[in-house]
Structures are given as C-alpha cells and as structure tokens.
C-alpha cells in the first residue's frame, strides 16, 4: 500500500481533563475519584491532514505523558509518512529501542511512544481515506509480520506462524468484511459500578437491554459478602442466559483472590477480571489452576504493560480472555503482536474500553481481529461505555448490542474544538475557575 | 526511633548529565552510547538538613523523571520528617497508590516515587547522624515489616515470616556489625566492556587484581563465537579460582538465549546475567530448567520494574542471584521487601552498581542484607565500578576487594556543587557549548 510523501511539520500535545470525579463516574477500588483525561497528540503535516492519537489517563499524570510525547516528537518532525508506511517497525524501534530513552521502560515511556506510533497510523489511514481497521485488514500478511518486533515473543509465536495464520484467514476476509460491513464487534457494558445502588444498577441494565445488550459487568473488590450479594442481584436481574462478568481491578493478592473468587462459582460467570496485580503472571497461572473446573475463566490485559507480559499469560493458558488496551502498550505494532498471539492460543480478544475515546480506538482492533486474525465473531466481546462521546466528531455508535462499523478515516478521533478549549488543563474554563485543591496531583481522595 | 519535627520547605530537581558517550564508557548492546545521568532531588527543610536522592539514567529521558519528581513533590512539601518516620509506608502508599497517578504504572512513575521516598530516608538518617545502612540495621523487625506494602507479595512472604526471619538474625546483629565495621560487602567489577580490546581487558583485570578484586564480569551479546572467545580469554586471564560472570543486557529472546548460553557451559561461570527481557518470568523459568545441571545460575533484577516481578523470579527458583537496583523500584520500602523475599528463598542479594552514584547507594543495602537479613557475607557480591566518584563529596572506596564501610550520614550522596553546575542539562557549561545533535533525545547512535 503506497503512502504519499507527506511531511510532519509540527506537533501539538494537549493535556485534556474532564472532572468526572464530580459525579464519581468510573470509580473502582483503587481509582476512587478519576478525572477522565487524555494526552492528545496532533501531528500537523504539509499535506493538510492531521495525525491524531490519544493516551487515556485518569487525571493527574496526564502532564507526565504530554511531556514524554513532546520529547519524542523531536524524533519525527521532518520525517515523512512515506518513511513510516514503508516499514512501520523502523519508527517503533527508533522509539522503543532508543539507545538512551529505553532506560525508561514501560508505563509513561511506552504509552508516549504508543501515542506517536498511533498518530502515524492514523495519518496513514487518513491519507488512504480508510478507517484504521480497513487499512489493517488490507495489509499483506508479510507486511503485518514485518511491523512486529519479534525479539522477545518468538518463543510463543514466530514470524512464519503469524504469516501462515494470516494467510489461512485470507480466503475468507472478503466474506467476513461483508458480514461486518454494518454491525461490528459484539459489545458489553459495565452496569454495576461500585457507587451505584441496586435500583440504579437495575435501571442501567434495563436501559442497556432495551438497546440490545445481553452482556454485563459488575465491579467487585469490596466486602466479600456484599460483592456476592451484588453478583446474585445482577444474575437475577439479567436472567440465566445473559453474559455476566466481574472485575476486581487488581485489588487482591493471590491468596486473597482465591478466597474471594471461591464464592463466585455458582453464578455462571463468564469471566473474573483483574483479580490480582497486572504483572503477576505466576499468580494468574496459580488462579487458573485453582479454578480450572469453574465455569469462568480469568481475564486481564488492560494494565499489562508490554507484549512480553501478554506472551506469558497467553502461552501458559493463564487467561481465557485477552483484554488489550489501545494506549497502554506501544501502539498498533504492539497490539498487532498481542492479537496474533491470542489467535494462536485460541484466546478471544476482548478489548478494554471506556475512559475517553478508548472505545473509538478498540473498535478498529475488534474489526481487524474478527475479520482477518481470529476470522470470526463467535467468542469475543468488546467493552463499550457510552461516555464522553459528545466530545468527538465521530462518536461511537451501537446497534443491537454491537458496535456500528466505524467509517470515519483513521481512528476517527478528532475532538470537537470547543470541548478541547474548555477542558484543556489547567487553563481551560472548566479548570481555571476551580480552587487549587481540585487540580492535579495535589487532589487526593 | 524518634525523628525530629523537621518540615520539608522546598524541592529542587536537577537534570544532571555527563557526556560519557564521548569515551564510549558503559556501553552494552542496547545502550550503545549512554550519557550517564541523574535526576537529582534536593529536599530542603527548616532544620538545616537536606534530603538527597538520585535516579540514574543514561541520558535522554532524565527530564521525564525530573518532571515526575517535581509533580510528586507537591505531595510532600509542608509535611514533616516526623510524619514520614512514624510510618514510612504511608508516604509510599500516598505516592504508589495515588488514586490518579497510579495509572502511570512502573518505569518513570515508580522511579520518580522512589526518588521522593529515598530522599526522605536520607533525611531521616541524617537527622540521626547515621549512614543509611545503620538506620536500617537499627530498625525493629516489626517496624521494617510495617514499611512494606504486602498486598501483592504475601503469597511469597508473609509479614509474620519476615518478622520471624529478622528476629532470628537479631541475636547476631551486634557481632555482624562489628565484623563489617571496616570492610563492607565483597565487590566485583566489569572488566570486559564491549568496546575494549583483549589488551585493554587484561590491563583492567591486572589493575583490579592489584586492588584485591577476584570477581569479574564480561559483557556478551555480540557474535556468539566472539563472545565465547572473550569468555575463554577472561577465564585464562583470571585463572580457575576467580569468579567470572557474563552479562547479556537482555539482548536475546528465549530460544536465542538457549543457543548462546549452551556454549557457556565449560567455563565455570558463576552467573549469566539478563539473558532475556526484564519481565519474562516464564522465560527465566524455562532457562533455569534447561540449564539446571550447569555450573552457573541466572541473575537479573536491575531492570525488574516492581516487587511483583522479583516475587515471581524468587519464588519460582528461576534466578540464583538477585540483582536489586537502588533506583528502579520505589525506594527503600520496595527494596526492603525484595531483600526479605530473597532471604526467604536463599537467593544471594548481588546489587546492581555503576552509573552515577548507584554504588554509593547499594553499599547500604549490601550492609543491611549482610548484617540483619541474610546475616552473613558468604554468597553475595556487590557490583562496583570506579566511576564518577570525583563528582561526590563522599566517594565510595574499596579495600581488599570489598567496599569500605560507609560512614557518611544518610546515603552519603551529596554531589560537589561545581560538578553539578557544570553538568546541569542543558544549561551547564559542558552542554551549552555543544551542537544540538549532541543533546537530548535527538542524539541517536
């Protein structure tokens, strides 16, 4: 796929924060008062197109990521889209293996690198007037394989295996694309937020059911007895045939998780999400073994900081659902590697959504996975939260419990400029009128 | 141990960079041209004392960590040493579990949090006029246990086990302290840097032997045949009784590591360091199993980003040497947890040194481990590099192949102000006279 010779001329990085903690939206046991936020990157070019990406955060710390993105952008201003699109792994390595910056590891560094990489993919897709998923679907198997850094993962999946797998799906890609031309991946929603009463949860479920959803999640990680009561309440409310999942947001240690989860055996749960720390691979293996005969499997990944962590979770069979995040690892290149590994090990890709604009991004990965990698839609659920969509030009939509297939070019991630102006931190009007204690890191629950 | 009521009044964060890449010092396969650097934190107080800590980096990216430290310092200005010393885990949790910042994970965030925590420990030790190791040795077992966040590690070591272990060593602490009152931990050095010729390596070895060293390390990760020749050269040069270790700096994938390391069986190596990625726990387990009958064991940890990674490496028996770093995890509190876990699993603590001022810090951990936790000096080697010691007021010294027991209060980490002035980035005279291409992230190997 040829790319035009478009040069990156400048970068703007915006610290965008929404005071969602005012209404206690999206809280969990650790993130008690999140202010849904985003480090937004605009790569401006001489071709009139803009490459856009976002890194979702929960408030304080967005500036850390903005600082990093600004630094990395020194490395791409003056480069061309053609350079990038010829071999995207070159930019990936220039950033992730930068001989000095690589000392900074995962977390802020990998997320900032992902922002730059994702903005370049956005620009490429826009230059072809394709949504991102369509660009990915149209890539040749060898090209996809060449986007990936195989150094640390080829004990789980080799380049040749990846190519063979993609080739194998190739015959059906046209058919799958047609099948998904209107309705995209099946979606699920969190109905049981920690802050909600039973009545509020019930109202949320009914509203979602009216919209066609049949898969629901509940937050746990409080008092065990109360958690179990809430699971029972949710199961009663949705009936035996709907999917029910629970999410502990890493709240427990391994032994503690065993005790809590033991009480969850009788509710026909689909998965138990993030029972323990994001990087505790052996802990996940131990839990999987302890609950090998349970109905549910374990799910995680939204906080897994690198493809190496995913490799271990997938290869060992520790997780039964692979929850990629769109902005935690180093962009499209890393996520491609993870989706391919999940396919080899037969683990459904169930991306993490929510926050600001995560759903707008993950729908593309769901499409690529279900058309070209897994090649089916039989087992995956893609998270969906109807939240802050009024902030973007191309809101995510659902129909009959599925994502409506995205059609805007690139990620479709352009924020409305009025929204950006208002929520820019700390000078937008939402923030500059607040007292100091409601700002930044100093604001503590 | 009571602490005075000293209030933190301000924080200064300095981006200090030394152009070590001019002479290709400290290079490895990934970090081809490191500029040894440090984010230096000075916590000023109303008591005339200053809390100091450093975060070592290799050049570009130091500003990312400085940005983070500055942000976190908002949370401690106005707090007192007394608050901290009453229960150090409170500050640890305020930072690491900050309900918004925790989203940033390990890497930059954990390192910045470690800087703040380490500066507070420095201040506490200085207020008692004790070197840091002595403060740690004098803490009651219960107090040590209360410094630790047990949430994610108690499946490997419980609070009660830690206390019992420390209590058990208590009877011999006086004796051990006396034994180590002049000579501290046994040290080892890297003699075989990648850039050096055989003659240069030989000269380095002879110089180190004259100083009493008998343990040497060699960098590998280039052409396999050449690596093996260099190992043979080193072994011939030092004879059969000296310790010889090799370090691959994470250069290989798992299968690749197996092939390379297979050729290392006949040289009586003590350890093979960082053959694979820093977070590949299952890879280490596989290597340990493949080479279970070899003379050598595997070593890693300088890039292990959290106590949870260490927990898995130790509990599984995957590593035989635990290479704590002083600034990669969240300061004294995290390192205490790791050293205690290593003691339970009988894995010698062999800290990672070098860079700027790492040796100045790790000597304290070696002392604490060998006096109060392992309670012996039979198996540990602490890395030592005679480098940039002219930059600090209390240089590290060695004698007869051991660290000379540090006696300066706190970490003993005060940089000479002239050195700081010259190396401040980008405005110090070392940097402001250089062309742009030798500065920051734009400078690429």
């Amino acid at each position: 796929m040829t790319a035009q010779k478009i040069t990156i001329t400048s970068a703007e990085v915006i610290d965008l924060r929404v005071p969602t903690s005012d209404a206690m939206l999206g809280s969990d046991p650790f993130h008690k008062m999140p202010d849904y936020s985003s480090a937004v990157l605009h790569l401006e070019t001489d071709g009139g197109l803009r490459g856009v990406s976002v890194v979702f955060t929960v408030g304080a710390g967005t500036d850390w990521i903005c600082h990093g993105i600004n630094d990395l952008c020194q490395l791409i201003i003056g480069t061309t889209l053609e350079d990038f699109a010829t071999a995207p792994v070159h930019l990936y390595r220039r950033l992730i293996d930068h001989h000095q910056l690589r000392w900074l590891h995962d977390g802020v560094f990998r997320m900032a690198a992902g922002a730059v990489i994702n903005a370049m993919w956005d620009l490429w897709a826009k230059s072809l007037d394709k949504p991102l998923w369509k660009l990915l679907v149209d890539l040749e198997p060898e090209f996809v394989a060449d986007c990936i850094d195989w150094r640390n993962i080829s004990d789980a999946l080799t380049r040749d295996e990846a190519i063979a797998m993609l080739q194998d799906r190739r015959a059906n890609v046209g058919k799958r694309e047609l099948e998904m031309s209107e309705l995209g991946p099946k979606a699920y929603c969190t109905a049981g937020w920690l802050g909600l009463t039973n009545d509020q949860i019930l109202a949320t479920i009914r509203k979602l059911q009216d919209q066609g959803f049949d898969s629901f999640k509940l937050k746990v990680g409080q008092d065990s007895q109360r958690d179990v009561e809430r699971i029972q309440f949710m199961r009663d409310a949705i009936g035996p045939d709907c999917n029910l999942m629970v999410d502990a947001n890493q709240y427990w240690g391994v032994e503690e998780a065993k005790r809590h989860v033991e009480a969850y055996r009788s509710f026909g749960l689909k998965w138990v999400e993030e029972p323990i720390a994001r990087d505790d691979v052996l802990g996940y293996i131990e839990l999987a073994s302890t609950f090998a005969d349970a109905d549910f499997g374990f799910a995680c990944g939204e906080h897994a900081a690198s493809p190496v962590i995913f490799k271990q979770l997938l290869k060992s069979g520790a997780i039964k659902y692979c929850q990629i995040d769109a902005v935690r690892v180093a962009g499209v290149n890393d996520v491609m590697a993870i989706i391919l590994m999940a396919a080899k090990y037969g683990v459904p890709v169930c991306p993490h959504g929510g926050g600001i604009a995560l759903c707008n991004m993950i729908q593309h990965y769901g499409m690529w996975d279900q058309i070209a990698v897994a090649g089916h839609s039989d087992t995956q659920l893609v998270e969906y939260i109807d939240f802050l969509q009024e902030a973007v030009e191309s809101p995510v939509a659902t129909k009959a419990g599925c994502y409506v297939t995205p059609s805007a070019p690139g990620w479709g991630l352009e924020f409305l400029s009025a929204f950006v102006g208002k929520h820019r931190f700390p000078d937008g009007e939402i923030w500059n009128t607040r007292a100091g204690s409601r700002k930044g890191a100093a604001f503590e629950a």
Side-chain angles (χ1 to χ4, degrees), chain A:
Chain A
M1 223 157 316
T2 50
Q4 297 157 254
K5 187 145 185 176
I6 291 173
T7 302
I8 313 297
T9 52
S10 68
E12 183 188 27
V13 185
I14 302 159
D15 184 338
L16 184 75
R17 305 194 193 185
V18 185
T20 49
S21 61
D22 290 352
M24 291 295 281
L25 270 169
S27 63
D28 68 49
F30 276 125
H31 307 98
K32 295 185 185 75
M33 300 179 76
D35 286 328
Y36 279 11
S37 303
S38 191
V40 182
L41 171 59
H42 289 171
L43 289 182
E44 306 294 347
T45 70
D46 61 1
L49 292 173
R50 171 191 277 177
V52 179
S53 73
V54 304
V55 177
F56 171 62
T57 62
V58 294
T62 313
D63 52 308
W64 299 40
I65 296 181
C66 290
H67 179 94
I69 296 173
N70 268 312
D71 193 38
L72 293 178
C73 281
Q74 294 180 64
L75 295 171
I76 57 157
I77 288 170
T79 67
T80 68
L81 174 59
E82 199 179 17
D83 293 340
F84 171 75
T86 302
V89 79
H90 289 174
L91 175 61
Y92 178 91
R93 290 216 181 94
R94 260 185 105 202
L95 300 174
I96 289 296
D97 274 348
H98 183 279
H99 73 112
Q100 293 187 338
L101 290 166
R102 74 190 309 283
W103 196 264
L104 302 179
H105 275 201
D106 303 320
V108 172
F109 174 58
R110 202 170 196 103
M111 292 162 90
V116 175
I117 290 166
N118 282 338
M120 291 303 295
W121 280 95
D122 182 64
L123 189 62
W124 189 13
K126 282 174 177 163
S127 78
L128 300 168
D129 201 30
K130 293 180 183 183
L132 200 98
W133 65 265
K134 176 64 175 157
L135 166 59
L136 299 184
V137 163
D138 289 346
L139 295 177
E140 292 296 326
E142 290 76 9
F143 190 94
V144 170
D146 287 339
C147 289
I148 291 168
D149 181 358
W150 294 100
R151 180 189 299 272
N152 295 315
I153 60 172
S154 51
D155 57 309
L157 176 73
T158 65
R159 183 178 180 282
D160 288 348
E161 286 174 315
I163 292 171
M165 209 162 55
L166 290 166
Q167 291 288 15
D168 177 67
R169 308 297 187 271
R170 212 73 185 139
N172 274 316
V173 158
K175 176 170 159 282
R176 290 293 301 146
E177 207 180 314
L178 197 64
E179 286 169 358
M180 299 189 79
S181 58
E182 287 177 27
L183 286 191
K186 183 174 164 72
Y188 79 90
C189 299
T190 293
W193 295 99
L194 284 190
L196 303 187
T197 62
N198 282 356
D199 283 351
Q200 288 172 313
I201 291 175
L202 197 60
T204 308
I205 290 170
R206 295 300 174 237
K207 194 181 121 199
L208 290 167
Q209 286 179 321
D210 288 347
Q211 293 167 20
F213 291 95
D214 66 1
S215 303
F216 307 96
K217 202 162 76 181
L218 168 73
K219 298 279 185 185
V220 293
Q222 298 182 303
D223 170 71
S224 182
Q225 180 61 29
R226 171 144 169 68
D227 282 343
V228 170
E229 284 165 13
R230 282 157 55 92
I231 296 172
Q232 183 67 63
F233 177 82
M234 284 275 286
R235 177 51 83 196
D236 292 344
I238 65 178
D241 299 330
C242 286
N243 292 313
L244 181 59
M245 294 79 77
V246 299
D247 183 1
N249 289 90
Q250 308 178 54
Y251 201 64
W252 302 313
V254 177
E255 296 306 323
E256 209 180 352
K258 284 187 198 166
R259 285 194 301 276
H260 282 264
V261 174
E262 189 58 43
Y264 296 177
R265 286 183 183 263
S266 58
F267 301 101
L269 297 178
K270 186 175 176 71
W271 74 57
V272 175
E273 181 173 332
E274 287 200 319
I276 56 172
R278 59 197 178 227
D279 50 355
D280 196 349
V281 173
L282 295 183
Y284 272 102
I285 291 175
E286 197 172 326
L287 288 177
S289 152
T290 304
F291 294 99
D293 59 344
D295 294 338
F296 52 79
F298 291 96
C300 78
E302 69 176 87
H303 284 278
S306 76
V308 173
I309 297 289
F310 277 101
K311 172 186 82 167
Q312 298 172 78
L313 293 167
L314 291 166
K315 188 180 174 183
S316 65
I319 58 168
K320 296 287 179 230
Y321 302 93
C322 177
Q323 299 182 304
I324 55 162
D325 181 89
V327 300
R328 176 61 69 185
V329 292
V332 171
N333 302 58
D334 268 355
V335 176
M336 278 175 158
I338 297 163
I339 291 176
L340 285 163
M341 289 192 286
K344 170 169 170 183
Y345 292 97
V347 176
V349 173
C350 300
H352 166 239
I356 299 186
L358 289 181
C359 293
N360 306 59
M361 297 180 81
I362 59 174
Q363 57 184 344
H364 296 277
Y365 290 124
M367 292 290 294
W368 182 59
D369 169 51
Q370 295 179 28
I371 292 172
V373 190
H376 64 77
S377 302
D378 302 340
T379 53
Q380 304 95 330
L381 288 177
V382 177
E383 190 164 18
Y384 171 73
I385 302 177
D386 167 22
F387 193 49
L388 289 173
Q389 290 297 325
E390 69 278 14
V392 294
E393 286 183 9
S394 308
V396 163
T398 63
K399 193 172 158 186
C402 292
Y403 276 84
V404 173
T405 301
S407 59
W411 294 110
L413 255 189
E414 199 69 43
F415 282 98
L416 296 171
S417 60
F419 186 86
V420 173
K422 244 169 124 170
H423 292 88
R424 202 183 266 268
F425 185 85
D427 53 324
E429 84 181 66
I430 291 285
W431 294 106
N432 66 20
T433 52
R434 284 173 178 247
S437 68
R438 280 292 285 110
K439 286 184 188 168
F443 165 48
E444 293 187 87

